[in-house]
Amino acid sequence: MAKQVKTIGVLTSGGDAPGMNAAIRAVVRTAIQKGLGVKGIMRGYAGLLQEEIIDMNSRSVSDIIHRGGTILYTARCMEFVTAEGQEKGAEICRKHGIDGLVVIGGDGSFRGAGKLAALGINTIGVPGTIDLDIACTDYSIGFDTAVNTAMEAIDKVRDTSTSHERCSIIEVMGRNAGYIALWCGIANGAEDILLPERYDGDEQQLINRIIDNRKRGKKHNIIINAEGIGHSTSMARRIEAATGVETRATILGYMQRGGMPTCKDRVYASIMGAKAAELLYEGRSNRIVAYKNGEYVDFDIQEALQMKKDIPEDQFEISKMLSR
Ligand code: ADP
Ligand code: F6P
């Protein structure tokens, strides 16, 4: 049954992602224009349980659309995974008059959001993660900035790899998903892309290809390795020993999570944030805003969490074909 909300809260949870600020701004301004009160909850569910709650108005979100990170800070919180933590969280929302909540984060954060919705707090999720690993959506806030940041960094490593005629293993983030690796692999013209979804651990094949590439006149050899496979440094040592080609590992790390969001991340995050606030205004709950097949849509949280997604096989095949 739709419940009209009067005051909404907004929080960011899990790993931060560039564009989260644009989403916060859109939630706050949309809600205010609909006549709702808005409170910011600092440090995700951890801040909720600590009652780190601030009043927000249109000016609270001035001058943030272009900033990386999240002005609300973010955290991971084990207490909130427990039933007692969730009940305490719902109780604190009620105490502060928060009857609707926007949770910007990934799958873990949405599990928490679903629990709050079941406890009577109208809750809407907005996908925010650089990993692009949320099954119900083709887009998540931060992915575009992360792949652009990684792509530029890999171009730089490529220059020095060419000068020294080296092999480079470059490790990108993505947790257990290979989307950042696949996109950088294609965008940077990598010789090999190692995806957790596809890599069978056959290092000998990798070694054979490096030797073959040398024979075919390639001056460098760029291997994009996904974090979900990891072990880039030891892999580099083994490859150098087996091929005789100097090999270096570079782990890009947290630079991929920061920086000014791209135009795409600002625009998509703004639209998703606005849609989340609109859903709350309409009395909806337990939904995730998503971008699917070219449209903004929303899904039931539990149904969305059951969905599966995989690296598109054709894209992976094309990436291999283009690297030869
Ligand atoms: P992400 O949201 O990016 O997937 P995490 O998996 O770290 O990041 O989840 C963020 C937070 O969401 C966790 O620290 C925890 O507070 C909350 N959370 C995760 N899983 C659950 C769960 N099953 N039930 C309730 N809350 C959860
Ligand atoms: O989910 C985003 C992400 O950067 C992943 O790519 C990575 O596995 C993880 O977060 C790192 O988390 P933490 O910030 O806890 O080190």
Side-chain angles (χ1 to χ4, degrees):
M1 197 46 206
K3 180 182 83 178
Q4 182 59 54
V5 301
K6 290 197 178 69
T7 299
I8 69 164
V10 55
L11 62 82
T12 48
S13 168
D16 66 346
M20 280 184 165
N21 281 331
I24 295 167
R25 172 179 176 271
V27 169
V28 171
R29 292 203 173 159
T30 305
I32 286 170
Q33 280 170 59
K34 301 246 174 232
L36 305 176
V38 189
K39 299 200 181 209
I41 298 165
M42 311 299 286
R43 299 179 181 81
Y45 296 123
L48 173 64
L49 298 186
Q50 296 297 317
E51 296 188 53
E52 294 181 57
I53 299 172
I54 55 165
D55 290 325
M56 295 189 90
N57 58 40
S58 288
R59 293 289 73 73
S60 320
V61 290
S62 295
D63 203 25
I64 65 166
I65 194 165
H66 60 299
R67 293 186 201 283
T70 157
I71 60 160
L72 294 176
Y73 299 91
T74 184
R76 295 193 165 100
C77 173
M78 288 317 292
E79 189 186 349
F80 196 74
V81 181
T82 65
E84 299 76 54
Q86 292 149 18
E87 275 154 27
K88 184 175 163 192
E91 201 43 56
I92 290 168
C93 284
R94 278 189 276 275
K95 178 177 160 191
H96 288 263
I98 296 171
D99 40 17
L101 181 66
V102 177
V103 171
I104 306 168
D107 277 343
S109 305
F110 297 155
R111 283 197 183 88
K115 300 286 170 43
L116 280 176
L119 292 166
I121 308 299
N122 281 14
T123 306
I124 307 289
V126 172
T129 167
I130 63 164
D131 302 333
L132 198 68
D133 59 350
I134 300 171
C136 70
T137 185
D138 300 335
Y139 166 84
S140 63
I141 296 171
F143 175 76
D144 190 62
T145 306
V147 286
N148 276 287
T149 302
M151 180 189 73
E152 286 176 19
I154 295 165
D155 279 345
K156 294 184 169 83
V157 177
R158 183 194 185 101
D159 287 345
T160 165
S161 283
T162 309
S163 307
H164 288 264
E165 299 177 76
R166 280 175 177 158
C167 171
S168 267
I169 302 179
I170 305 169
E171 188 171 311
V172 296
M173 276 187 165
R175 206 180 290 239
N176 299 316
Y179 295 96
I180 299 178
L182 177 69
W183 275 59
C184 288
I186 295 174
N188 293 98
E191 275 65 36
D192 257 296
I193 310 172
L194 310 184
L195 306 177
E197 295 90 342
R198 295 287 184 282
Y199 184 54
D200 59 5
D202 187 351
E203 218 162 86
Q204 191 56 49
Q205 262 197 42
L206 213 55
I207 289 164
N208 294 345
R209 273 199 295 275
I210 294 167
I211 295 169
D212 186 51
N213 284 343
R214 276 292 139 124
K215 285 188 192 141
R216 294 192 304 119
K218 288 215 179 204
K219 294 288 182 221
H220 58 234
N221 204 104
I222 305 285
I223 300 170
I224 306 295
N225 186 30
E227 173 190 27
I229 295 170
H231 304 291
S232 298
T233 308
S234 55
M235 201 185 279
R237 271 199 299 270
R238 289 191 297 273
I239 287 177
E240 180 167 313
T243 60
V245 177
E246 262 196 317
T247 303
R248 297 283 194 270
T250 305
I251 298 169
L252 294 186
Y254 291 96
M255 68 153 72
Q256 295 160 95
R257 283 243 297 262
M260 207 180 241
T262 59
C263 178
K264 178 169 179 173
D265 275 330
R266 295 181 200 192
V267 172
Y268 281 50
S270 296
I271 293 169
M272 285 180 154
K275 291 210 176 273
E278 279 170 4
L279 285 169
L280 285 177
Y281 178 71
E282 289 161 10
R284 310 288 303 279
S285 179
N286 202 46
R287 311 291 295 174
I288 296 176
V289 178
Y291 184 80
K292 198 83 189 155
N293 302 323
E295 279 180 49
Y296 294 95
V297 290
D298 54 274
F299 293 105
D300 174 88
I301 291 185
Q302 283 71 34
E303 282 173 26
L305 290 172
Q306 293 298 316
M307 293 179 190
K308 299 270 176 276
K309 111 191 235 191
D310 194 11
I311 294 287
E313 192 55 37
D314 57 339
Q315 293 181 22
F316 184 50
E317 286 305 318
I318 287 170
S319 76
K320 285 196 283 187
M321 185 173 67
L322 297 181
S323 69
R324 295 289 164 252

